[in-house]
Structure formats: C-alpha cells, structure tokens
Amino acid sequence: MIWKKRERDGRPAPLPCLLFLALLFFGGVLLGQVLAGRVPDATGDELGRYLTDYFRLGGGIGHAAGAIPSTAVIYFRYPLLAFLLGFTSLGILLLPCVTVAYGFFLSFSVCCFTAAFGVDGILLAFAVFGLRCMVTLPCYLLLAVSSWGSSAALAKLSFGRGKRVVPVIYGRDCWIRFIGAVTVLLVGICVDLFLSPRFLQAVLEQILL
C-alpha cells in the first residue's frame, strides 16, 4: 500500500533517494579533502596558535550558556534547511547541493585540524565534530530523503500539464519525523554543551602541553 501510494502522489521510493543523497555527501567529503590539500601551510599554523590561545584562556568550560545560540545554529542549520526545502519544488535541485556542501565543509574542517596537528588532529577533530556529526547527519538524511521526495512530487505537479497528478499531502508521518528529529537535536545540544568542552580540553592538554 505504501509503495502504491508513493506511485500515485509522484514521490520516489525512499531507499534510492537515501543512496543518492549519501553518495552526494561522500562526494562532498572527497571534494573537501582535495581542496584542503591546497590550503597554504600558514593556515594550519594559524589554527594551531588559535587553539593554543583558546586552551590557555580556558575557553569553552565557563562559557556554556553563551555557546547555546551558536551550538543550536550549528545543530539545526542543515536538518532545518532540509525540512523546509521539502515545501518547494526547488528542493529537488537545492537539496543535492546542500548535501554536497554539508559533506564538503565537514571534511574541509577536519582536514584543517589534521594539517595543523598531524595525527593528533584526528582526535581533536573528533572532539569538536564527532558528537555533532553523529547527531546531525542521521537527522539531516531522515528529513532530506522525505523532503526530496516531496520536492520531486511538487515538481511533477508543477510541470505535469495535461496530466492528472494527485496533490502533494504533508501528512502525519512528515510531522512525526520532524518532531522526532528536533527532539534528537535538542538532546544532542544538551549533551554537547556538557561534554564537548571537557573532552576538548582533555585532548588539548595532551596535544599542546
């Protein structure tokens, strides 16, 4: 019944959408690695000096309250954008671009850490991006797959002149997915604010001292 319903409203099956978006994400990761190799060595030195000063000033431990807005933006930006693009036919073009950008900027940032600290940079990058990625990436893909299907159905509705196309309906499942993703993201933010500064300080102590 679910597959027949998807065929009637013009939405593609979710598994091919998931595989397609996953490939785009890993394509962005590879692109980030390639371009990070062209960054001047001075950039890695600047990052090293910044983190050294950050550690010496005790950054992150005593500023959890001030970090809430920025952490919320970091956690919600890609999943929320993926959800909103499901309400427009332009999402069929923009969602793949956003997915590539997500993989690119994540990979580029990790490569900058490794450029500054070598092998130790991998552990440092995990301290900064590990929990965030484990929470935001599944939420993003969950919402992006559904939104890309809705965008495809909207595109067929917009350009299917002369054909009988069923209107796109955002039913209960759509909002359950969104509420579930928001709940997981909020829990991730709380855990991140509590654990990440301590984990980051412990890693920096090993690397910089």
Side-chain angles (χ1 to χ4, degrees):
M1 293 295 295
I2 296 176
W3 298 106
K4 291 181 179 179
K5 180 180 178 181
R6 291 188 181 278
E7 289 175 359
R8 288 198 303 267
D9 64 13
R11 302 187 191 196
L15 183 56
C17 293
L18 176 60
L19 294 175
F20 177 67
L21 292 176
L23 287 175
L24 290 175
F25 176 81
F26 286 112
V29 169
L30 293 176
L31 181 62
Q33 292 178 350
V34 171
L35 294 184
R38 301 183 179 182
V39 174
D41 295 336
T43 302
D45 297 335
E46 291 175 3
L47 179 60
R49 289 194 296 269
Y50 169 79
L51 289 175
T52 302
D53 295 338
Y54 177 89
F55 172 70
R56 289 174 179 172
L57 294 173
I61 300 299
H63 305 284
I68 292 177
S70 59
T71 304
V73 170
I74 290 172
Y75 268 74
F76 275 93
R77 56 185 175 183
Y78 287 113
L80 183 59
L81 182 58
F83 177 74
L84 294 177
L85 286 176
F87 293 90
T88 172
S89 58
L90 290 176
I92 196 172
L93 298 177
L94 295 180
L95 272 170
C97 296
V98 172
T99 304
V100 172
Y102 187 2
F104 170 79
F105 287 114
L106 177 62
S107 175
F108 188 85
S109 301
V110 171
C111 289
C112 287
F113 278 100
T114 57
F117 298 99
V119 178
D120 292 331
I122 298 176
L123 183 59
L124 183 59
F126 180 78
V128 176
F129 303 108
L131 176 62
R132 182 193 311 172
C133 186
M134 287 188 290
V135 173
T136 58
L137 182 57
C139 291
Y140 172 78
L141 291 176
L142 175 68
L143 297 175
V145 168
S146 176
S147 293
W148 201 55
S150 300
S151 298
L154 288 172
K156 288 183 180 180
L157 185 63
S158 301
F159 298 102
R161 297 178 179 179
K163 297 181 181 180
R164 185 177 180 182
V165 182
V166 178
V168 180
I169 299 175
Y170 298 89
R172 180 182 176 185
D173 292 344
C174 173
W175 300 105
I176 290 177
R177 277 190 297 268
F178 179 68
I179 294 173
V182 168
T183 302
V184 172
L185 291 170
L186 290 175
V187 172
I189 290 172
C190 294
V191 175
D192 196 325
L193 290 173
F194 180 75
L195 292 180
S196 291
R198 293 162 175 80
F199 185 30
L200 178 59
Q201 184 178 23
V203 173
L204 288 173
E205 286 177 351
Q206 298 295 324
I207 295 175
L208 301 179
L209 294 184

